[in-house]
Amino acid sequence: MSGIRPTGFLHLGNYFGAMRNYVKLQEEYTCYFMVADLHALTTHPDTKELKENVHRVLAENIACGIDPEKAALYCQSHVRETSELYLYLNMLAYLGELEKTTTFKDKARLQPDNINAGLLTYPVLQAADIILHRATWVPVGKDQEQHLEMARNFVKRFNHRYGEVFPEPLAYNFGEDLVKVPSLDGTGKMSKSENQLATLYLADADDVIRKKVMKAKTDGGPTSPNMPKPDYIENIFQLMRLVSAADVVSSFEGSYDNCSIRYGDMKKQLAEDMVAFIAPIRERAESIRNDSIYLEDIMQLGAEKARKSAVATMDLVRNAMGLVY
Ligand code: AMP
């Protein structure tokens, strides 16, 4: 189970942190992937734009390889049971732990005039999304590690108080550690809304991709053999490892180590490999996005599958809690 908020264009971080893993998991597991429109409300977006954003995120998910016939691909607000479970879990979540959450502190800093209760209980809603399907694997990027730990705590508390209903959910990345895709300016991670010039979006045109990559921060090059790489240079290598062929990466690694590297050439290579990676996804997403009828059918099919699982879980929950009179 996993979700992505419809708060902006999807980017390379969403792809490598989340969607790449969705595509692999759907082959072996029963999967639930959703567009997290309720989570998006915590930042008070203009709700007139939500429909277009929900459609775009759905189209981009499908363009990246999610098969709506295999996985349940749905919209969070179409499954009302989520909100009921969120309410019950809120009684098991404590103010102190919620206030200490890194993402809450970051958001509170970014939007000091809108520190609403939904923002504070964001990890509770996320836990409800996951355990509504009694999910065990949650494909997410590294930034979600703390939320997953909180979800496990809520599960332990629920099971301890009311009896074993939920498995403990674990963050999942295929075969490696959780991923954090760095931004191109050497600071922080790629993100939907911050530092847009340093983020590569799946909807970026070829020349925009080239321009952004060529602007990535570099320096005069290494001054002695086998020097450790500064963060912003390591970030460029990291991006290259995601999209370029292994021999291309090792050739630039070699020229870094013997001080012959030319960052201009490296960025040109990275830009072309990024274009080759992103362009087919962008083109597929564009044609899917124009077909609203198809997207609405997909959402309906996904919501039916998700509701079936949600209703079964909520029966277990109400019984365990004794809410049956
Ligand atoms: P969000 O964009 O916050 O709705 O996140 C959707 C998914 O993308 C989550 O699983 C995040 O962990 C993942 N994600 C977002 N940004 C990055 C990034 N820069 N690197 C890796 N994963 C990311």
Side-chain angles (χ1 to χ4, degrees):
M1 197 288 145
S2 197
I4 299 187
R5 286 169 307 145
T7 47
F9 289 84
L10 298 194
H11 51 78
L12 219 58
N14 296 130
Y15 181 84
F16 285 103
M19 278 128 75
R20 176 177 61 164
N21 291 304
Y22 298 1
V23 174
K24 286 180 175 154
L25 281 171
Q26 73 180 354
E27 300 301 329
E28 283 182 54
Y29 295 89
T30 306
C31 290
Y32 298 89
F33 301 128
M34 59 152 201
V35 184
D37 60 334
L38 298 178
H39 280 282
L41 297 179
T42 55
T43 50
H44 291 181
D46 181 350
T47 49
K48 284 189 214 73
E49 289 167 14
L50 265 180
K51 183 170 179 172
E52 191 187 326
N53 286 343
V54 166
H55 280 200
R56 197 181 45 240
V57 172
L58 273 179
E60 288 181 323
N61 271 282
I62 298 167
C64 286
I66 293 183
D67 179 348
E69 298 291 331
K70 285 187 187 147
L73 184 57
Y74 65 100
C75 180
Q76 188 181 27
S77 62
H78 289 172
V79 182
R80 308 273 153 86
E81 286 77 5
T82 311
S83 301
E84 184 187 351
L85 185 54
Y86 168 54
L87 179 87
Y88 300 151
L89 290 185
N90 267 318
M91 315 304 176
L92 301 173
Y94 295 102
L95 184 60
E97 65 186 335
L98 295 171
E99 279 177 334
K100 270 195 290 190
T101 314
T102 311
T103 45
F104 172 70
K105 288 195 283 190
D106 288 348
K107 281 272 161 57
R109 214 177 306 119
L110 281 173
Q111 50 183 73
D113 299 329
N114 178 22
I115 309 178
N116 60 67
L119 205 57
L120 183 71
T121 56
Y122 191 109
V124 186
L125 179 55
Q126 191 174 326
D129 294 325
I130 298 166
I131 69 176
L132 188 63
H133 303 298
R134 303 172 74 224
T136 39
W137 297 114
V138 187
V140 283
K142 196 162 175 54
D143 56 337
Q144 294 296 323
E145 227 166 11
Q146 190 181 27
H147 287 178
L148 260 292
E149 193 185 330
M150 295 175 82
R152 285 193 290 280
N153 286 335
F154 301 146
V155 161
K156 281 184 212 145
R157 275 175 221 159
F158 185 99
N159 288 346
H160 179 70
R161 183 169 291 267
Y162 300 118
E164 232 18 73
V165 171
F166 299 112
E168 287 181 29
L170 292 167
Y172 177 91
N173 188 59
F174 199 79
E176 312 148 36
D177 292 336
L178 297 187
V179 172
K180 175 186 154 190
V181 176
S183 71
L184 285 163
D185 60 6
T187 63
K189 57 170 184 167
M190 286 197 185
S191 121
K192 289 209 206 86
S193 45
E194 291 159 58
N195 54 18
Q196 300 191 357
L197 289 175
T199 293
L200 292 166
Y201 295 97
L202 301 178
D204 277 347
D206 294 353
D207 55 336
V208 174
I209 298 171
R210 291 193 183 98
K211 225 178 266 166
K212 286 181 179 175
V213 171
M214 293 314 289
K215 278 214 175 111
K217 180 177 172 182
T218 53
D219 54 26
T223 47
S224 58
N226 304 313
M227 261 176 72
K229 300 183 184 86
D231 285 351
Y232 49 92
I233 297 295
E234 175 53 32
N235 286 353
I236 299 178
F237 273 98
Q238 206 186 319
L239 291 168
M240 199 168 222
R241 281 180 216 118
L242 295 174
V243 294
S244 302
D247 58 330
V248 170
V249 181
S250 61
S251 141
F252 282 105
E253 292 274 9
S255 59
Y256 180 89
D257 285 340
N258 68 23
C259 303
S260 66
I261 193 160
R262 286 151 54 134
Y263 289 135
D265 290 348
M266 182 180 182
K267 288 197 284 188
K268 260 187 220 149
Q269 175 75 47
L270 178 61
E272 290 318 310
D273 291 341
M274 278 294 173
V275 166
F277 181 80
I278 289 175
I281 298 179
R282 179 189 66 225
E283 283 156 19
R284 276 199 300 276
E286 265 165 27
S287 71
I288 299 167
R289 196 157 58 89
N290 291 329
D291 192 349
S292 321
I293 306 278
Y294 168 70
L295 289 173
E296 279 157 23
D297 285 350
I298 292 301
M299 262 189 289
Q300 200 180 335
L301 173 71
E304 277 163 22
K305 292 193 226 174
R307 268 189 226 120
K308 200 165 166 209
S309 146
V311 165
T313 301
M314 292 314 291
D315 275 348
L316 294 175
V317 168
R318 285 186 220 103
N319 270 308
M321 291 178 75
L323 298 175
V324 272
Y325 310 115

